[in-house]
Amino acid sequence: MTEASMILVETIGRVGVVRLNRPKALNALCAQLMQELGAALLAFDKDPAVAAIIVTGSEKAFAAGADIKEMKDKTFPDVVFNDFIGAHWETVLEVKKPVIAAVAGFALGGGCELAMMCDMILAADNAKFGQPEINLGIIPGAGGSQRLTRAIGKSKAMEMILTARMMDAAEAERANLVARVVPLADLMAEALKIGEKIASLSGPSVAIAKDAVNAAFETTLTEGVKTERRMFLGLFATADQKEGMNAFAEKRRPNFTHR
Ligand code: CO8
């Protein structure tokens, strides 16, 4: 039997918001929740009324990881051949619009990995990040060992992954895991401000800027700079480049066509 929906979806202005809503399990990421999250993200990505997306949880937990109770009895063939765990976990990486993770409370295991797959993390001052899988006799499985290491460096990542130590919001900011820390009460307002600012800009330049930053993780510096240059030059083919630069020269606000 399928439980009632595990997410809440709303559009605020031009920002799509997906709230993980499985409070009794601290938003543990079970198959149903991941399927619903993936579908909601793809729907927002297609929706012209939406220009940026926020993924958030509750004040106590962004997500306390993949659902341990759902995974615990799975056999090796179950997890390898039936795609039991992997399905829908990387849908967020398919989204072209910017995705902001607004993290309060626990972001552990798969929850930390989901946040790191988003384009940026805005953290509330009560946020706690960790990859505690080692306590369960496993290791991170949705990119944690790779993305955490790239974000915060080898020593800190090793310590967190080998000992399951959690990092608080202040340390996460010092370590460059998060863009910024804000008071818990301001988390959604601040995330929405980021989303609204993005929504006011030229959609093509936003999508291409996201691609350009992501290219930094997948290629050499020389190739990355070449990719950026091609993208930069390509934007001169858009009406929004003309509008943006003319508006600056004419001392007025730009009115972009493709928002
Ligand atoms: N899975 C299932 N249920 C959970 C999870 C979880 N990850 N986390 C919490 N819950 C449940 C608890 O079992 C409890 O349920 P119940 O009330 O029915 O007993 C309820 O949520 C509340 O939890 P607690 O009572 O434990 O709350 P506390 O405030 O005492 O503790 C903690 C909060 C510290 C967050 C604690 O719940 C905890 O340690 N949770 C587990 C954290 C963890 O180990 N996460 C990693 C999971 S493994 C993983 O994420 C691998 C990802 C691989 C993805 C691969 C994709 C391809």
Side-chain angles (χ1 to χ4, degrees):
M1 198 180 79
T2 311
E3 279 187 51
S5 179
M6 294 179 176
I7 58 170
L8 298 171
V9 177
E10 65 178 320
T11 304
I12 302 175
R14 300 194 63 227
V15 182
V17 179
V18 186
R19 185 178 289 279
L20 311 181
N21 186 37
R22 210 189 159 201
K24 286 189 187 144
L26 300 182
N27 291 332
L29 303 167
C30 62
Q32 181 187 332
L33 192 157
M34 292 314 287
Q35 189 279 325
E36 291 183 6
L37 171 63
L41 290 171
L42 294 180
F44 277 145
D45 208 28
K46 270 200 238 151
D47 184 348
V50 167
I53 301 168
I54 295 172
V55 178
T56 193
S58 69
E59 291 195 350
K60 179 155 187 205
F62 177 74
D67 189 323
I68 300 167
K69 294 168 191 166
E70 190 182 55
M71 280 186 294
K72 69 184 183 46
D73 295 323
K74 297 292 168 191
T75 63
F76 183 65
D78 284 338
V79 296
V80 171
F81 298 115
N82 298 336
D83 202 21
F84 164 75
I85 302 180
H88 309 294
W89 270 82
E90 294 190 325
T91 307
V92 62
L93 301 177
E94 296 167 30
V95 175
K96 294 188 188 68
K97 293 171 185 168
V99 183
I100 302 153
V103 174
F106 296 110
L108 302 178
C112 186
E113 291 171 309
L114 173 62
M116 291 190 292
M117 278 190 263
C118 295
D119 295 312
M120 66 184 92
I121 302 174
L122 188 68
D125 50 14
N126 74 338
K128 279 194 181 328
F129 299 87
Q131 297 289 163
E133 288 91 341
I134 205 81
N135 284 338
L136 303 169
I138 57 167
I139 68 164
S145 63
Q146 307 303 300
R147 290 195 180 89
L148 188 67
T149 306
R150 280 168 162 78
I152 70 173
K154 177 176 161 179
S155 269
K156 259 187 195 294
M158 280 287 188
E159 192 202 2
M160 289 178 70
I161 290 169
L162 297 184
T163 71
R165 182 175 77 81
M166 289 185 214
M167 192 183 251
D168 66 17
E171 185 179 0
E173 186 177 32
R174 285 199 304 276
N176 292 329
L177 181 60
V178 306
R180 225 156 16 98
V181 179
V182 298
L184 174 60
D186 300 340
L187 180 66
M188 279 312 287
E190 289 293 326
L192 282 165
K193 266 193 220 164
I194 298 173
E196 281 157 12
K197 171 68 192 183
I198 289 169
S200 74
L201 302 170
S202 161
S205 64
V206 166
I208 288 173
K210 167 171 166 160
D211 272 359
V213 174
N214 280 330
F217 294 96
E218 304 291 348
T219 190
T220 62
L221 179 61
T222 306
E223 277 309 311
V225 171
K226 275 188 201 159
T227 301
E228 180 199 72
R229 185 63 49 84
R230 281 194 294 271
M231 291 171 163
F232 169 78
L233 298 176
L235 285 168
F236 281 72
T238 65
D240 283 348
Q241 172 268 329
K242 300 286 171 294
E243 171 60 11
M245 292 193 178
N246 279 320
F248 175 82
E250 291 160 17
K251 299 189 189 302
R252 60 174 174 83
R253 287 164 71 92
N255 181 17
F256 292 119
T257 314
H258 300 290
R259 286 194 298 139

